[in-house]
Amino acid sequence: MDPLFLQHTSDGILTGAIIALGAIGVTLSMTILRFANFGHSELVTFGAYIALVFVSFSGIGAQPIDPFSIGWPFFAAIAAAGVGTALLALATDWLIFRRLRRSNAARLTFIFASFGAALILRNLIMLGFGASPEYYSRELTMAILIPPGIRVMPDQILVLGLTLVLVVALWAFLTFTRAGLAMRAVAESPTLSSVSGIDVNSVTRWTWILSGGLAAMAGVFFGLTVQLRPEMGFNLLLPLFAAAILGGAGSVFGAVVGGLIVGLAENLSVIWISPGYKMAIPFLLMLVLLYLRPHGLFGRGER
Amino acid sequence: MSAPVLTISNLVAGYVPDVPIVRGASLNVIPGSILTVLGPNGAGKSTLVKAIAGLVPVTSGTVMLDGKDVTSTPAHAVAGLGIGYVPQTENVFTTLSVVDNLKVSGSPSASDTRMAIERMFVLFPDLAERRRHLGRELSGGQRQMLAFARALMRSPRVLMPDEPSAGLSPKMVGIVFEKLQELAATGVAVLMVEQNAKAALRASDRGLVLVEGKERLEGPARQLLDDPRLGELYLGKIDEAA
């Protein structure tokens, strides 16, 4: 097979995995919190920068683990980013969305409030770190050559592996644990959930924690394999929503498949058309798919 | 007659402040017996049980469970305290399997939940056969049984089905009412809302007619069945002053 095609496929899978992590959070908030959270992209950015702060404090003396560009402290940084971003997500809920829920605000109000929160968060990052790109590590690493000619960076393989672990862990959580089942129950019917003894407020908090944590992972992985910029999350926002909608709102599996489709479509399209148009490809796909399947690949219509 | 497990006194409740739908209703439910609340459309029957379940705001009056005031307790806490409410529609999780419906409705203790699920499968053998089926794959009757089982997971003192016979075939209605009698025989108090007055009263110990949010007629079910006032209240022939 054409090596160029294979190279773009491998890049697409990596981009897709990162998009999938972010899209899971989007799909969870669409069905459990019941609004399109446009602030989700800034959780991605915050996660990436929290890890950067952690790395720059602990990075001294940290030897990279061959063949990766990062050392052991980086794994602590990933954990810190997850926890910090989950707390930030909880704080935005406490400050903004909890109040809107109490006053029974319209869904559009939630969406606009999330836009506002996104603007504030993005500009805070800009204020703190400036607009120029940052990197976790300036170590040079050697690409691994996979026959017949695909080049993959060791960091990329690490990111793919970690993403796989996270997705499987999330699937197990939603399938086997009571808390995970409670999240799926609230996604279907908050009223029936509450008369079944499920504290909907507590499920709401767990949803923020999970989607914040996963957004942070997406941000850190993007930062590691590309670079950190204050608008990195914002640039991912539309692909995240495209992936979530493609997969079908509410379906975690759908978000993963949607993420991979968006990542592959963006990367493979450059073989045939100018890279300037690659952002548009996922939307073209989304339009076609929604025409054929209005509820996405794995979504269900009625509730 | 044993002491009531659930006592409602002068309950006023409604979705919007200043627009009461339940207007000073009072009733007692005795352990091991079935009390059916009847009444014309819009009498506030469903709102009454929803207010008890913690889903509709209570303006005044009290809900006492086992001598404990549970008025205005959040719905999820009411479920934990021992009131099992079965909504009329959307009463099972259609996207979860039968066993997950039960698991998610169980107590926080995993071993208690496991035991409760086994109990439910003995009580409802049909569900045991379909434990891996999704809620949406069940027939109307099976769905109603799952709705009961879901509400029974926390071993409630009071079970409150809202129109359990709605949308079921006559044969299934009989089975559902038999099941409720079987449950009552184990000591559970049943407070049921029904439109299907005759069939419900035949299965009940007592009946109560709610009109405009307040009880107008109460008595042993057999007596109510023959009471001409029952039909008149339904048709609105007895006016406010009566």
Side-chain angles (χ1 to χ4, degrees), chain A residues 176 178 188 194 196 198 300, chain B residues 76 94-95 103 106 136 150:
Chain A
F176 299 117
R178 204 182 118 87
E188 185 181 327
S194 63
S196 302
I198 299 166
R300 294 205 324 112
Chain B
H76 69 92
T94 57
T95 54
K103 200 170 160 186
R136 65 164 177 267
R150 197 197 48 65

Side-chain angles (χ1 to χ4, degrees), chain B residues 11 17 39 162 200 221 235:
Chain B
L11 199 72
D162 189 353
L235 297 171

Side-chain angles (χ1 to χ4, degrees), chain A:
Chain A
M1 210 185 269
D2 181 12
L4 183 71
F5 180 81
L6 291 175
Q7 181 66 53
H8 284 297
T9 304
S10 115
D11 292 348
I13 289 172
L14 181 82
T15 317
I18 292 171
I19 292 174
L21 283 181
I24 291 171
V26 169
T27 210
L28 288 178
S29 42
M30 273 203 271
T31 45
I32 300 175
L33 309 174
R34 287 164 200 274
F35 72 99
N37 178 17
F38 285 97
H40 194 72
S41 53
E42 307 318 309
L43 297 175
V44 172
T45 314
F46 251 85
Y49 277 88
I50 291 173
L52 180 69
V53 172
F54 202 90
V55 165
S56 47
F57 277 119
S58 64
I60 306 155
Q63 279 299 314
I65 317 157
D66 192 56
F68 305 114
S69 74
I70 39 99
W72 287 113
F74 191 72
F75 290 93
I78 292 179
V83 173
T85 311
L87 289 176
L88 174 73
L90 278 179
T92 54
D93 183 55
W94 193 75
L95 281 169
I96 305 167
F97 302 111
R98 186 184 57 127
R99 284 155 203 269
L100 294 179
R101 278 196 299 277
R102 280 195 185 161
S103 56
N104 269 327
R107 292 292 107 178
L108 260 183
T109 313
F110 280 81
I111 295 171
F112 278 104
S114 76
F115 260 121
L119 272 176
I120 295 170
L121 291 174
R122 195 180 320 145
N123 283 295
L124 280 176
I125 294 270
M126 194 83 95
L127 211 63
F129 296 90
S132 49
E134 303 269 359
Y135 299 88
Y136 290 124
S137 162
R138 301 208 178 253
E139 291 288 333
L140 289 175
T141 56
M142 296 294 287
I144 301 166
L145 196 66
I146 301 172
I150 310 169
R151 284 173 191 283
V152 189
M153 303 304 285
D155 287 350
Q156 293 180 321
I157 294 174
L158 178 71
V159 162
L160 263 182
L162 289 175
T163 302
L164 197 68
V165 169
L166 283 172
V167 169
V168 170
L170 181 72
W171 170 80
F173 170 77
L174 289 174
T175 310
F176 299 117
T177 71
R178 204 182 118 87
L181 284 177
M183 284 181 70
R184 289 163 61 196
V186 172
E188 185 181 327
S189 167
T191 307
L192 184 59
S193 298
S194 63
V195 300
S196 302
I198 299 166
D199 183 352
V200 176
N201 287 327
S202 139
V203 169
T204 302
R205 284 191 292 273
W206 277 106
T207 306
W208 281 107
I209 290 174
L210 263 185
S211 63
L214 289 170
M217 299 300 120
V220 174
F221 295 165
F222 188 85
L224 182 62
T225 50
V226 187
Q227 59 180 198
L228 289 88
R229 301 179 73 103
E231 68 279 11
M232 60 190 278
F234 180 68
N235 290 338
L236 278 172
L237 181 65
L238 293 178
L240 293 188
F241 273 90
I245 293 167
L246 265 174
S251 167
V252 169
F253 182 64
V256 172
V257 175
L260 288 173
I261 292 176
V262 169
L264 282 170
E266 278 190 6
N267 281 279
L268 287 175
S269 67
V270 299
I271 300 177
W272 300 286
I273 59 169
S274 150
Y277 296 114
K278 82 171 186 181
M279 285 281 283
I281 299 303
F283 294 95
L284 218 63
L285 266 179
M286 194 171 92
L287 281 177
V288 173
L289 185 99
L290 290 184
Y291 184 75
L292 299 171
R293 283 187 64 92
H295 302 294
L297 283 173
F298 303 97
R300 294 205 324 112
E302 72 293 320
R303 250 212 294 275

